[in-house]
Amino acid sequence: MSALEYLSLGDPAFRTDRFSAYQRLRDHNPVARVEPDGTRAVLTRYADVERIFKDPQMRVQPKAGEFPAYLGTGPGATFHKLSLPDLDAPKHTRLRKLASPAFAPRALGHMRSWVEQIITDNIEALAAADGEVDFVEHFGMRVPAEIACRLLHAPATDAETVLRRMPALNRVLTHTPLTPDELAEADEVAQFYFDYIGEIIDSKRGKLGPEDPVGALMLAEEEGGRLSRDELIVTLVGFFIASYHTTMTAMTNAVHALLSHPDQMRLLAADPDLAPAAWEEVLRWQSPVHFITRYAGYEFELHGETIAEGTQLLLGIASANRDERRFPDPDTFDIRRADKRHLAFTAGGHYCLGAPLSRLEGDILLRLLPQRLPAMALIDTNTPRTDDLVFPVMTALMVAPKGV
Ligand code: HEM
């Protein structure tokens, strides 16, 4: 592809063989302009992607300080205006600082036992199953939902109710205009979350300490109103939104990667202390989120191209994590890789707030699974994924927990 040719992100060839497409872009078109008018650019090399993430002048908002007018003034708009991933400094800096104690080491230490319980129970349920099961349905979708519910002190039985409404709310968190019907639905759903989480907060008032993620945030709310009630609720719902699909995909990718690389599974079974390194390698090798958007905060040059202020930059995380300029032998899945630092949680000011919880989950899962289900086998090597550009989620992973 020549640098003058616009890239079609909808091209089936691009989506079906993504890692080859990413490699072509890294090698021949590292600032790929996107059709129809070339005003968006895709960056795919590790050094470029990392540089943009770490530059505090790059924005998540298309126009500095401006929120989309098409959202009106209802609960959906409130959600957008208070949501961490959609805010730039200084609003983001303030809210992020207040939200950070939720996954600080003190809170994390208290989470380990219940996270371990949820993962153990679900591994035991797999162990009890005869024949073949779909890992996505029987583990991948369940465990993150149970963990997110427990995190928010919501009953696990409410997971379906809470999750079902999420896509309608997600629409207000993107920068794509909504139809009046979509906006009405998003407002209704946003109000549902304000009421639902509001009730949980009220029922827990005075009962949670700072070692509990909700308790830590409630403390910030109670102490002189540093965090408003709306901010508290939007941040907690944000935990649910940010954790569910990412964790489901990472856990499914982990099992798929290990079952399709039996040598790596054997290494992990022989040395469970490799679990944290194996989790990092899964996130590097198959990053759950393929692209994250930023807007150029000023005009700059990159690989001979001028990037104008305000240009939408699609930052290719999954590609960056396979960049041969950064990782030796990048397509090899190697849990003993010496340099594991990747961009799956991004870098800079918006770096995934829940990364410590995700690492705790990965450690527990990858320690237990090879011990409890040593013969687990992949039934079908053809693993379908949605063709979503940003988030290609595996829709089924057929396994035999007790082996074939
Ligand atoms: C393997 C699992 C996960 C992956 C791959 C992942 C990935 C990401 C990515 C790519 C971002 C965007 C960062 C940016 O825009 O620079 C993000 C942000 C975020 N994540 Fe995660 N995430 C995971 C799990 C979690 C969990 C378990 C939680 C919390 C329960 C969480 C909470 C958040 C929050 C609150 C943000 C917004 C941070 C901000 O904008 O300041 N994530 N995550």
Side-chain angles (χ1 to χ4, degrees):
M1 176 189 295
S2 97
L4 295 174
E5 213 176 298
Y6 287 156
L7 170 68
S8 168
L9 294 171
D11 182 352
F14 180 82
R15 305 236 180 168
T16 45
D17 191 4
R18 286 175 181 245
F19 285 104
S20 304
Y22 296 161
Q23 174 151 26
R24 285 197 299 278
L25 290 175
R26 287 195 301 272
D27 289 346
H28 305 295
N29 201 2
V31 183
R33 301 289 179 165
V34 181
E35 65 175 13
D37 54 9
T39 53
R40 296 198 286 163
V42 177
L43 308 188
T44 40
R45 291 190 186 171
Y46 190 99
D48 299 337
V49 171
E50 185 183 41
R51 170 191 158 177
I52 303 293
F53 278 137
K54 288 190 167 171
D55 185 337
Q57 294 192 61
M58 298 296 162
R59 302 188 301 260
V60 295
Q61 290 177 271
K63 295 211 173 111
E66 267 185 34
F67 293 101
Y70 57 77
L71 289 180
T73 54
T78 307
F79 244 92
H80 182 99
K81 284 181 188 165
L82 302 180
S83 155
L84 261 184
D86 294 289
L87 292 176
D88 284 312
K91 286 187 173 157
H92 176 263
T93 321
R94 181 190 142 263
L95 199 56
R96 169 99 187 189
K97 201 166 160 221
L98 292 170
S100 292
F103 303 108
R106 174 153 72 160
L108 222 61
H110 282 81
M111 280 182 216
R112 186 164 190 116
S113 64
W114 63 257
V115 173
E116 192 161 319
Q117 192 62 57
I118 290 174
I119 294 178
T120 305
D121 289 349
N122 280 280
I123 290 181
E124 287 309 320
L126 280 182
D130 282 323
E132 301 172 8
V133 295
D134 178 3
F135 183 84
V136 175
E137 186 188 339
H138 291 273
F139 195 97
M141 284 160 73
R142 282 184 195 173
V143 170
E146 285 183 29
I147 291 177
C149 283
R150 173 62 185 77
L151 185 71
L152 267 56
H153 298 280
T157 44
D158 281 3
E160 208 271 324
T161 315
V162 178
L163 284 169
R164 184 163 33 87
R165 294 177 166 83
M166 229 189 255
L169 184 63
N170 268 337
R171 284 197 209 111
V172 300
L173 302 178
T174 65
H175 292 280
T176 317
L178 276 70
T179 64
D181 283 352
E182 285 171 343
L183 181 58
E185 192 189 0
D187 276 335
E188 192 189 316
V189 165
Q191 190 56 52
F192 162 82
Y193 284 115
F194 275 118
D195 296 341
Y196 180 83
I197 300 289
E199 268 176 39
I200 293 179
I201 293 170
D202 292 338
S203 72
K204 293 290 171 192
R205 207 161 282 289
K207 294 182 187 149
L208 300 173
E211 69 290 346
D212 181 277
V214 177
L217 264 69
M218 282 172 74
L219 220 67
E221 185 219 9
E222 284 156 10
E223 282 171 1
R226 286 188 295 148
L227 192 69
S228 73
R229 182 181 171 86
D230 280 358
E231 285 172 336
L232 171 62
I233 293 176
V234 173
T235 304
L236 291 176
V237 176
F239 290 169
F240 217 117
I241 294 176
S243 69
Y244 179 67
H245 283 105
T246 47
T247 308
M248 171 183 115
T249 305
M251 288 183 167
T252 310
N253 286 349
V255 168
H256 178 248
L258 287 164
L259 295 185
S260 50
H261 295 82
D263 57 325
Q264 301 293 305
M265 182 65 119
R266 276 193 294 276
L267 283 174
L268 187 58
D271 181 2
D273 287 344
L274 278 172
W279 186 246
E280 297 306 312
E281 179 64 348
V282 167
L283 293 172
R284 182 198 71 81
W285 191 69
Q286 277 288 354
S287 311
V289 181
H290 277 224
F291 290 96
I292 285 283
T293 297
R294 290 289 189 271
Y295 294 87
Y298 54 90
E299 184 178 300
F300 63 101
E301 296 283 316
L302 190 61
H303 304 299
E305 292 267 330
T306 303
I307 311 270
E309 196 277 335
T311 300
Q312 186 183 4
L313 300 169
L314 288 173
L315 306 174
I317 301 178
S319 166
N321 284 336
R322 297 273 192 118
D323 187 351
E324 38 293 280
R325 292 156 198 81
R326 168 73 180 80
F327 299 101
D329 214 359
D331 293 330
T332 301
F333 177 65
D334 174 8
I335 65 172
R336 289 190 296 184
R337 187 176 282 280
D339 183 354
K340 297 182 282 290
R341 198 169 48 85
H342 56 74
L343 292 173
F345 296 123
T346 78
H350 284 272
Y351 182 82
C352 173
L353 187 69
L357 171 57
S358 162
R359 291 188 162 122
L360 173 69
E361 294 165 343
D363 181 28
I364 295 171
L365 173 69
L366 298 185
R367 255 173 218 284
L368 294 178
L369 198 79
Q371 305 301 320
R372 186 65 186 92
L373 297 172
M376 183 152 151
L378 203 58
I379 296 295
D380 192 351
T381 48
N382 174 28
T383 46
R385 282 182 192 266
T386 57
D387 82 339
D388 193 273
L389 175 71
V390 171
F391 220 135
V393 175
M394 213 184 278
T395 51
L397 180 65
M398 295 310 296
V399 297
K402 293 176 187 154
V404 282

